[in-house]
Amino acid sequence: RVPSGPTNWTELVGPDGTRLANYRKTHLYGGFETASFTPGDQLVVQAELDGVRLGLLVCYDVEFPEAVRAHALAGTEVLLVPTALMRPYEFVAATLVPVRAWESQLFIAYANRTGAEGEFDFAGLSALAAPDGTARIRAGSGETLLVGEADPAELPAFRAQSPYLTDRRPELYRAHV
């Protein structure tokens, strides 16, 4: 289905320039976005690159535990999240993103804008969050190139230690969603 208006989206492009996946932001933030964009209607968009299953979300989408969990249940190993998180919401990058990686037992590559544009002051704090709830690497508030490792071979050990995915009881959740 083609959205009826402009969308906020991201595209994953392979090293050879091949377009691997397009994702349209499903959770719009605030009046500006809801007035300006049409939300996407496909929550889990994935592509495989070099044997790793990558998933895509955009910005505010990662703040919904259901969105991240849907990716984990669909087999996403590394979730890519480009974002434009503004001050004073640094706790999203510093705390919430590593918690999402922990509770859904996957890696999250969170890439945030930095600097000021008009009335907005972007927080930076890009990170690679791991399934143990830590940020393996983290940028500060300025422009930074981060290089880190997210090895999907580590996921079984993390999932054995914190078995959220296998201990879920979805039959109890349906009546409340």
Side-chain angles (χ1 to χ4, degrees):
R1 182 177 135 213
V2 176
S4 59
T7 59
N8 185 340
W9 62 281
T10 190
E11 181 172 70
L12 178 62
V13 178
D16 64 355
T18 302
R19 292 180 173 147
L20 302 176
N22 290 302
Y23 170 76
R24 293 185 169 106
K25 185 176 183 180
T26 55
H27 297 85
L28 302 180
Y29 179 78
F32 170 77
E33 284 195 357
T34 57
S36 302
F37 303 114
T38 299
D41 59 5
Q42 186 177 358
L43 185 59
V44 176
V45 172
Q46 299 172 314
E48 192 162 310
L49 181 63
D50 294 332
V52 178
R53 177 145 320 166
L54 304 170
L56 299 172
L57 289 179
V58 172
C59 200
Y60 189 47
D61 290 328
V62 79
E63 296 182 40
F64 292 83
E66 302 89 352
V68 179
R69 181 61 53 87
H71 270 277
L73 295 173
T76 295
E77 297 166 316
V78 180
L79 185 59
L80 309 176
V81 185
T83 185
L85 180 74
M86 300 165 288
R87 295 183 192 285
Y89 304 109
E90 295 93 340
F91 72 91
V92 171
T95 303
L96 190 138
V97 170
V99 167
R100 289 285 175 269
W102 180 61
E103 70 191 4
S104 287
Q105 295 295 286
L106 46 65
F107 291 96
I108 300 177
Y110 186 80
N112 193 29
R113 287 186 67 177
T114 64
E117 182 178 328
E119 64 186 86
F120 302 113
D121 184 16
F122 298 99
L125 303 176
S126 297
L128 174 61
D132 63 358
T134 64
R136 287 196 167 174
I137 54 174
R138 174 163 317 273
S141 60
E143 291 185 23
T144 305
L145 173 64
L146 295 177
V147 178
E149 185 172 317
D151 184 357
E154 295 178 83
L155 292 175
F158 282 122
R159 290 175 179 170
Q161 188 176 31
S162 298
Y164 292 116
L165 298 177
T166 56
D167 289 351
R168 293 173 60 251
R169 295 190 56 207
E171 71 279 2
L172 298 177
Y173 314 144
R174 288 189 184 98
H176 302 285
V177 200

